[in-house]
Amino acid sequence: MDVFSDPANRDVYITGFLWILKLTLAGGVGALVLGVLLAAMRVSPVPVLRGFGTAWVNIFRNTPLTLIIFFCYFGLFSTLGLSLADDIDLNNFWLGVVGLSVYTAAFVCEAIRSGINTVPPGQAEAARAIGMSFRQTLTIIVLPQAGRAVIAPLGSILIALCKNSTIVGTIGLMESSNAMKDLINANGDAVIPIFLVFAGTFAVVLIPTGYAFGWLANRLAVKR
């Protein structure tokens, strides 16, 4: 591991994974918020909202993430002039977050909707019988139970999001995949050690994350 004994190479490695963690955190929050809204639309009594939610899910689930990231950069930024930050790295970061959020939200939506379907219909009917609105029924009765039922699927989506974050490197952000490429270009005789370090870091972070979500899902599972 002589490559990583060089402070400059260590900085490249650490900086790359810090970008990945930031993309995962920001993209995860954005996808969760948007996904819950889309799930509410999918089960809404308003046909227009149901149609919008269905269209969003079908379009973004079946569009390659690379194309979405490219659209955010070449469409929103280069063509339409939408700049989200003055610094080029921050701008690319936030464009990546937008792309990751809108893409991942489609999967979060379907996970939440599957959780909503596990809630017995009688509970929603009882809530409506005592005069609760659709919004109150959803937020007070249904979503808290649905959320506990889909912790494991949401964990899988978060893990996939972390790995998908490397695609943001295609628009110039120096995340882990670009960092690995630069280190390999500069140290061609150490390809395998560099690859093992980067792959191992993902494994060290994501495998415990998967087990943690599995444990949390069992701990918070709704007993019926």
Side-chain angles (χ1 to χ4, degrees):
M1 298 299 178
D2 290 340
V3 175
F4 296 97
S5 63
D6 185 338
N9 290 341
R10 285 202 304 270
D11 287 344
V12 171
Y13 160 76
I14 293 171
T15 301
F17 271 101
L18 285 177
W19 280 122
I20 289 293
L21 293 176
K22 292 175 183 177
L23 285 166
T24 302
L25 179 60
V29 171
L32 181 62
V33 172
L34 185 55
V36 170
L37 291 176
L38 289 170
M41 292 181 183
R42 291 292 307 264
V43 299
S44 168
V46 181
V48 174
L49 293 180
R50 287 202 308 273
F52 178 83
T54 301
W56 184 293
V57 169
N58 288 334
I59 290 171
F60 284 99
R61 276 205 312 179
N62 294 289
T63 302
L65 178 57
T66 304
L67 294 184
I68 295 173
I69 297 296
F70 276 8
F71 174 79
C72 290
Y73 186 82
F74 294 107
L76 298 181
F77 176 58
S78 297
T79 303
L80 299 179
L82 176 64
S83 179
L84 301 179
D86 294 329
D87 180 76
I88 187 63
D89 281 338
L90 279 179
N91 183 62
N92 292 344
F93 166 78
W94 287 114
L95 289 171
V97 168
V98 170
L100 290 169
S101 296
V102 299
Y103 175 79
T104 309
F107 296 90
V108 172
C109 168
E110 289 303 274
I112 296 294
R113 190 168 72 95
S114 69
I116 290 174
N117 290 335
T118 66
V119 179
Q123 296 195 21
E125 293 170 2
R128 287 194 294 271
I130 62 174
M132 296 180 71
S133 65
F134 170 76
R135 180 182 63 81
Q136 290 174 321
T137 301
L138 189 66
T139 57
I140 298 175
I141 305 297
V142 177
L143 280 181
Q145 297 181 71
R148 294 173 64 181
V150 297
I151 291 174
L154 289 179
S156 297
I157 293 171
L158 179 67
I159 290 172
L161 170 62
C162 182
K163 294 183 288 185
N164 288 341
S165 297
T166 59
I167 296 177
V168 181
T170 58
I171 60 174
L173 187 67
M174 188 54 65
E175 43 65 59
S176 62
S177 64
N178 273 348
M180 185 178 72
K181 182 182 71 175
D182 282 3
L183 289 177
I184 289 175
N185 288 339
N187 304 272
D189 57 340
V191 174
I192 294 178
I194 292 171
F195 169 78
L196 290 176
V197 168
F198 278 84
T201 303
F202 272 105
V204 165
V205 173
L206 297 182
I207 290 175
T209 300
Y211 280 113
F213 271 96
W215 174 83
L216 192 62
N218 291 330
R219 183 72 181 269
L220 299 180
V222 178
K223 308 299 181 184
R224 302 207 186 275

